[in-house]
Amino acid sequence: MQKKQKSGESSKKKNDAVKVRGLRDALPRDEEMWKVLWNAVHTISELHDYHFIDTPFLEPERFVAPAFLKITDGPSPLCSIKLPSGELAAFTPSPEIGIMRSYSDEHLGYFASPLKVFHSGRVIHYEEGKRELEESHVCGFDIVGESSDPIYDAQLILTALDFVKILKFKRVVLKVSTLGCKACRAAYREKAKTYYASRKSRLCPSCSEKLEAHGPLARFSCDEEGCKEMRAGSPTILDYMCHSCNNHFKTVLEILEENDVAYEPDPTLTRSFPFYNRTVFEIRAGERVLGSGGRYDYLSEMMFGKSIPGAGVSFLTDALFEEIRSEGISTSLGREKPKIFFIAVGEQARRGSLKIINDLRMHGVPVMESLGKKFLKAQLKVAEKSGAKAALILGQREVFEGTVIFRDLALGAQETFLSKSVVEEIKKRCK
Ligand SMILES: [Zn+2]
Ligand SMILES: [Zn+2]
């Protein structure tokens, strides 16, 4: 085996350049989809007055650790790195951790009350079952600071709904519930425990194991008849709400109704992190969860002992892309410009071409080229594949004469014009 690797042939084996398991590349083939997504995020942010924030994918371990005190699906290991300085940093599994740290660190509350931000970036966590990192891209909106007034919960939900509207999704459903506070949760947990304890034998082995490990608030999603029935009959947190959480939830729903927002109450909604309280919601398309969010008033307290209210929603890019594909939504933004392919033949033409190309680009004409290829035939081949409508050809003779050839790639028709008027001529032809 080792001998083989020494030869030039086998060192060219296919899998030499592999990424860290579980991490992802965003690829050129999805470019149109990404542009649609960014466009929607930016449009909604501008219309709803949210501002840009981007926080690191690593944060001090002590800030990330609270996210792993899971109340639902049990401990998933914190993934931290010891820096050469001895400092411990951990991958952030959700964007609100960085946003909350930054809010306090950068005194963002001073500039806006509340702070309204949009995020778009990668989140990474360690998937214990697979024994590898798992990376996803999420984008979303957050309202941080000031108070936990229900108007903010409703505003956030409206922002999230407008976002999927801009993406042109047709089969969107809003599910809403509340998680209450620590007090309501404790009362509910006790009831749920008693409920499941007497019926545990009817759960499938996997759900039974989950119940054992994570308690009655775990997210049970299995499809076995017995388990489904048991879930349907189980007490819900709505029956054990304290007075103030009940009022908060009622007000959120009233505001939604008063503003003609259709919703479906769903007491089975839950969040994976322990810092969420009160309002929780999901935006679905059929069975597909596009985005989810809620109030996270406990986060800052768990991170650094300060009380800063917050609420946010995050959309999973993968789910949005799948929905775009399955609804057959066009990803063309409808404002692509006709592209020009520039061909330069001969050393002098190749070197001198950059000025003409840049002139065109800076006048708003997108130009493609393959200047590393020396021959006309090779460059034409790339041009034909490129999807460009026309080519500009600069050869030795044209350099000498101060001209350039314009060639319609579909018809093959050619004409010549002066290189100093190239921008004008192209703009005329590409209107
Ligand atoms: Zn409560
Ligand atoms: Zn089950």
Side-chain angles (χ1 to χ4, degrees), residues 180-184 241-242 244-245 278:
C181 65
K182 282 176 191 158
C184 342
M241 298 273 278
C242 72
S244 106
C245 288
R278 294 191 166 167

Side-chain angles (χ1 to χ4, degrees), residues 287-412:
E287 286 299 297
R288 181 174 291 134
V289 178
L290 302 173
S292 53
R295 181 153 282 292
Y296 47 82
D297 293 342
Y298 291 142
L299 177 61
S300 61
E301 217 175 279
M302 292 170 100
M303 283 173 72
F304 40 70
K306 270 195 228 169
S307 172
I308 303 167
V313 57
S314 278
F315 290 89
L316 210 54
T317 303
D318 277 343
L320 296 175
F321 286 1
E322 274 164 30
E323 189 58 22
I324 288 175
R325 283 191 201 101
S326 68
E327 285 198 37
I329 293 165
S330 157
T331 50
S332 154
L333 290 173
R335 50 180 156 85
E336 290 102 277
K337 293 172 180 159
K339 290 174 185 146
I340 296 292
F341 200 98
F342 201 97
I343 294 171
V345 187
E347 199 51 20
Q348 221 182 334
R350 289 202 315 138
R351 290 179 176 215
S353 63
L354 293 184
K355 189 184 158 356
I356 309 177
I357 291 175
N358 257 37
D359 233 26
L360 281 162
R361 286 176 175 160
M362 292 313 284
H363 280 87
V365 181
V367 181
M368 297 179 276
E369 28 69 25
S370 186
L371 293 175
K373 291 189 168 55
K374 293 202 166 120
F375 301 107
L376 175 68
K377 217 172 154 189
Q379 292 181 59
L380 263 174
K381 219 169 155 185
V382 185
E384 275 154 20
K385 267 205 236 160
S386 73
K389 295 262 179 297
L392 279 172
I393 304 167
L394 185 71
Q396 282 303 62
R397 189 172 148 187
E398 286 74 31
V399 172
F400 180 71
E401 290 174 352
T403 59
V404 59
I405 296 168
F406 177 83
R407 181 185 178 124
D408 186 312
L409 284 172
L411 306 172

Side-chain angles (χ1 to χ4, degrees), residues 237-256:
I237 190 151
L238 298 180
D239 305 323
Y240 301 94
M241 298 273 278
C242 72
H243 181 67
S244 106
C245 288
N246 202 33
N247 268 346
H248 190 275
F249 187 46
K250 225 179 89 202
T251 313
V252 172
L253 296 185
E254 280 167 8
I255 299 174
L256 292 178

